[in-house]
């Protein structure tokens, strides 16, 4: 599966952005999908993920974004979205979407994801 993230940009602190990730070559509902981010000089970190199932445990969020970010899927359009609200300067990073098919519930580990899209830059000005 090939992934392409888009929707990044420059936004003021407290603002909102919605990132999109489009899948090509395979049907995204068959994959667990994750969003990760990497700030300059830091390791890539988990943001959120959504599983193939729709149970209560189907989505996971990093504590730093819980309550502000929401992950969702559009199975018809083969897309996954990351809606980000109340953005803070520490949210500034390159955001990546990733896919994996090896776990029933999505993983928060970068090493579990074999498929990655090109990132999209999110910059939050204070």
């Amino acid at each position: 599966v090939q992934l392409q993230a888009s929707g990044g940009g420059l936004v003021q602190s407290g603002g909102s952005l919605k990132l999109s990730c489009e899948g090509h070559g395979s049907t995204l509902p068959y994959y667990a999908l994750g969003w990760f981010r990497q700030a300059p000089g830091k390791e890539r970190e988990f943001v959120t993920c959504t599983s193939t199932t729709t149970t209560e445990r189907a989505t996971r969020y990093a504590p730093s974004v819980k309550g502000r970010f929401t992950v969702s899927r559009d199975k018809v359009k083969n897309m996954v979205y990351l809606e980000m609200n109340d953005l803070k300067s520490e949210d500034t990073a390159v955001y990546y979407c990733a896919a994996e098919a090896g776990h029933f519930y999505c993983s928060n580990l970068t090493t579990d994801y074999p498929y990655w899209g090109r990132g999209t830059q999110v910059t939050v000005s204070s």
Side-chain angles (χ1 to χ4, degrees):
V1 59
Q2 296 178 334
L3 304 169
Q4 179 62 53
S6 61
L10 174 64
V11 63
Q12 289 189 333
S13 181
S16 299
L17 277 177
K18 186 174 183 178
L19 306 184
S20 301
C21 179
E22 184 174 11
H24 300 279
S26 190
T27 305
L28 292 185
Y30 294 133
Y31 294 85
L33 298 165
W35 285 97
F36 294 79
R37 66 187 182 187
Q38 188 165 18
K42 294 186 177 182
E43 293 187 354
R44 192 168 298 187
E45 66 174 7
F46 170 75
V47 176
T48 181
C49 67
T50 177
S51 308
T52 56
T53 182
T54 57
T55 63
E56 186 176 342
R57 291 176 57 191
T59 57
R60 303 174 66 176
Y61 294 93
S64 60
V65 307
K66 195 170 186 178
R68 300 187 296 123
F69 290 12
T70 303
V71 63
S72 62
R73 293 180 184 250
D74 185 325
K75 295 181 179 181
V76 174
K77 295 182 178 179
N78 213 33
M79 301 278 287
V80 62
Y81 303 100
L82 178 63
E83 187 167 359
M84 306 183 293
N85 299 311
D86 189 24
L87 283 161
K88 305 175 182 181
S89 58
E90 52 263 43
D91 295 319
T92 295
V94 177
Y95 283 71
Y96 299 87
C97 59
E100 63 101 353
H103 299 83
F104 186 71
Y105 292 111
C106 62
S107 170
N108 63 345
L109 301 177
T110 59
T111 51
D112 283 337
Y113 290 82
Y115 307 106
W116 291 82
R118 295 177 65 180
T120 184
Q121 176 72 47
V122 172
T123 303
V124 183
S125 62
S126 55

